[in-house]
């Protein structure tokens, strides 16, 4: 409603505009208050366009438009503005989604009821009556388009009532002739969307994106652990291209997919409070997708039947859950579910046909075989330590569990015990590669070392290794060496 302010009526106060008269007041306007109003209306605002008007407070939300299933609720407000002002900015009505218990089986849909209101009524300027059912092939799905049963034409009876579903199987609802979808805030027509962390209108700043490639080749066929998918994970994806199969296990050890050496059919599987979509293409491609969030930990495995070319996996995780996830992943060891065979130094097999050793005679001392490896260059000193610490990708304390010498390189299996520097997360069990059959410096089995290694990724991305350079930094661990490494960390150039 438009209202004019007459300067001659300035003393006639109205609620909501100036103030109410106090009880016992004489009714005479106060000069100071009149002067203030006149200043605001005439001087302060220039007497011209004075900006937008003001909204009244929102009224209460109406009842849901439906008695069951999905419907909408509306609330409204009024704009109070003067002729010199612009209208209020914003909407006078807001619509939000309301979700009631599902409609019972056999309930008549809302659009069907609206078409049925015209059954038996003459239309189109004739006296012939028809029975009407919804028609969904018309351009505007928020018009009440009804098909005459037994005839090849439809008629539009205006708009559908607010809250009518736009079409079967969709989430949109019709409001004032438009099909609107609800944002994450529940308001129809809202652009608010959940971020990857599940926060409405968020900016992905409350969670972390975990994205890795599992490249362990595996030394035997069977189930190998890939990663823990922790509780609270969202937007989960895993994919690979090989004849191997992804397997998914619950926290209680029961398989959801491809367990117990049996391949599951593609489809949707309910687990941990979310739906996992499992696809397997005609080629060697296999994928897992889940929106999340997961309500419990899941274990992703791979059933190896051929060498692993790499398994890509990713998910979003709340920041506060990332530390526990790392701890669980390291406790898991990233090792196969069944006991992992250790790699030991090869020994000559005992032949059952070999002659027995003579029982008599004094024992002869064993003569050590000559070491075929030449001596290593001297790699001691503070400058050497600083050079390799600052130039490496990873520095950590580890125990050597196994060693395998190959034609042109040596592979150590180590257990990571303490990390001083890392460019990306390390697993509890890692392979460290050194060039040549006689690496320098050599690592002895079961000893603990401080290692400075580099990450080496092949151009085609099929190999991702930790490399101990020739004459690199590999010192036996001791409290003194630990202090020296910590000191080197503070002297690296920024």
């Amino acid at each position: 409603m438009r209202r004019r302010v007459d300067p001659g009526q300035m003393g006639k106060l109205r609620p909501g505009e100036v103030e109410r008269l106090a009880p016992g007041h004489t009714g005479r306007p106060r000069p100071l208050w009149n002067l203030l109003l006149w200043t605001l209306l005439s001087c302060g605002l220039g007497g011209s366009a004075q900006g937008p008007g003001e909204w009244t407070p929102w009224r209460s939300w109406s009842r849901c438009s439906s008695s069951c299933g999905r419907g909408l609720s509306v609330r409204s407000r009024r704009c109070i503005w003067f002729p010199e002002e612009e209208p209020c900015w914003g909407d006078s009505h807001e619509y939000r989604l309301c979700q009631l218990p599902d409609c019972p089986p056999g309930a008549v849909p809302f659009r069907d009821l609206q078409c049925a209101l015209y059954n038996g009524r003459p239309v189109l300027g004739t006296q012939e009556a028809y029975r009407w059912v919804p028609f969904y092939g018309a351009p505007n799905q928020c018009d009440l388009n009804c098909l005459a049963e037994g005839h090849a034409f439809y008629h539009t009876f205006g708009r559908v009532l607010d809250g009518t579903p736009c079409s079967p199987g969709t989430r949109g609802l019709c409001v004032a002739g438009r099909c609107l979808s609800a944002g994450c805030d529940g308001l129809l027509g809202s652009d608010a969307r959940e971020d990857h962390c599940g926060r409405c209108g968020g900016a992905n700043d409350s969670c972390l994106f975990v994205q890795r490639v599992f490249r362990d080749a595996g030394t035997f066929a069977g189930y190998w652990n890939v990663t823990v998918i922790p509780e609270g994970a969202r937007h989960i994806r895993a994919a690979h291209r090989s004849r191997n199969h992804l397997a998914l296990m619950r926290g209680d050890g029961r398989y959801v997919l491809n367990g117990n050496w049996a391949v599951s059919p593609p489809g949707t599987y309910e687990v941990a409070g979310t739906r996992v979509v499992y696809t397997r293409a005609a080629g060697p491609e296999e994928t897992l997708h889940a929106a999340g969030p997961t309500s419990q930990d899941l274990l992703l495995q791979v059933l190896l039947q051929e060498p692993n070319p790499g398994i890509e996996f990713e998910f979003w995780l709340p920041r506060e859950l990332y530390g526990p996830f790392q701890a669980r992943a390291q406790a898991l060891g990233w090792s196969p579910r069944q006991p992992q065979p250790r790699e030991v130094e090869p020994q000559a097999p005992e032949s059952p046909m070999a002659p027995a050793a003579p029982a008599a005679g004094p024992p002869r001392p064993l003569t050590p075989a000559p070491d075929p490896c030449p001596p290593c260059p001297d790699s001691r000193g503070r400058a050497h330590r600083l050079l390799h610490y600052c130039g490496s990708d990873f520095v950590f304390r580890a125990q050597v569990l196994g060693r395998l010498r190959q034609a042109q390189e040596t592979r150590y299996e180590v257990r990571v015990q303490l990390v001083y520097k890392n460019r990306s997360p390390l697993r509890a069990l890692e392979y460290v590669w050194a060039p040549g059959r006689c690496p320098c410096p050599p690592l002895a089995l079961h000893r603990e070392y401080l290692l400075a290694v580099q990450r080496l990724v092949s151009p085609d991305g099929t190999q991702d290794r930790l490399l101990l350079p020739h004459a690199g930094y590999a010192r036996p661990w001791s409290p003194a060496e630990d202090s020296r490494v910590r000191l080197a960390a503070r002297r690296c150039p920024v």
Side-chain angles (χ1 to χ4, degrees), residues 6-28:
D6 186 353
Q9 301 294 325
M10 291 291 291
K12 298 180 181 180
L13 307 179
R14 289 178 290 182
E17 296 179 20
V18 189
E19 67 174 356
R20 297 180 184 273
L21 295 178
H25 198 277
T26 60
R28 297 184 57 191

Side-chain angles (χ1 to χ4, degrees), residues 396-415:
F396 53 90
R397 171 185 171 187
Q399 181 185 23
V400 180
L401 303 178
R403 178 178 60 204
L404 178 63
R405 285 176 174 154
Q406 299 176 352
Q408 300 296 330
E409 56 191 1
T410 300
R411 188 183 74 179
Y412 296 99
E413 184 186 8
V414 302
R415 184 186 301 278

Side-chain angles (χ1 to χ4, degrees), residues 268-326:
T268 302
Y269 295 80
E270 299 276 352
V271 60
T274 187
R275 292 182 176 181
V276 178
V277 180
Y278 171 52
T279 60
R280 187 170 61 245
E285 186 174 3
E286 192 178 44
T287 61
L288 288 180
H289 293 273
T294 52
S295 59
Q296 59 177 273
D297 291 352
L298 296 172
L299 179 61
L300 179 65
Q301 296 182 324
V302 58
L303 175 56
L304 286 182
Q305 302 181 92
E306 63 182 22
N308 173 31
I311 299 172
E312 301 175 357
F313 65 89
E314 61 186 46
F315 50 82
W316 291 78
L317 193 64
R319 289 181 176 271
E320 63 273 14
L321 299 180
Y322 184 76
F325 157 67
Q326 286 285 78

Side-chain angles (χ1 to χ4, degrees), residues 106 149 161 172 176 275 278 308 327 340 342 360 372 396 421 446 449 463 472 490:
E149 281 189 323
L161 296 178
R275 292 182 176 181
Y278 171 52
N308 173 31
Q340 180 179 7
R342 296 282 181 214
F396 53 90
K421 174 184 178 182
H446 312 302
Y449 291 87
Q463 290 186 345
R490 297 197 294 267

